[in-house]
Amino acid sequence: MNPEIHPDYMECRVTCSCGNMFETRATTSSIHVDVCSSCHPFYTGQQRLVDSTGQVERFERRRRRSRG
């Protein structure tokens, strides 16, 4: 690897729009994100599960009625 072409790797503070902050390492000193693990619905348990089977059945019923 050529040492002159790689950027410096430094301490970085990540700030979320919810107010959560943590430190990591990156090529920039600060990063602002919209969603983090503290506020993302998947991690907080607020995730809405989509019943795709029910949606397909409703679509098929409507399709049969319109043909019929």
Side-chain angles (χ1 to χ4, degrees):
M1 289 179 28
N2 190 345
E4 291 87 32
I5 63 170
H6 299 288
D8 291 333
Y9 205 56
M10 62 184 99
E11 294 291 322
C12 172
R13 175 168 283 189
V14 180
T15 307
C16 180
S17 61
C18 71
N20 187 31
M21 293 188 316
F22 58 92
E23 291 190 8
T24 185
R25 293 180 52 88
T27 58
T28 183
S29 61
S30 66
I31 299 174
H32 298 281
V33 294
D34 294 331
V35 180
C36 68
S37 62
S38 295
C39 62
H40 192 279
F42 179 79
Y43 296 108
T44 60
Q46 303 295 321
Q47 182 179 12
R48 235 184 65 183
L49 297 175
V50 176
D51 181 18
S52 61
T53 306
Q55 290 177 349
V56 171
E57 290 170 357
R58 282 192 302 250
F59 173 77
E60 291 295 331
R61 271 188 271 141
R62 282 183 294 190
R63 190 173 64 116
R64 281 191 300 253
R65 276 187 274 164
S66 67
R67 285 185 169 186

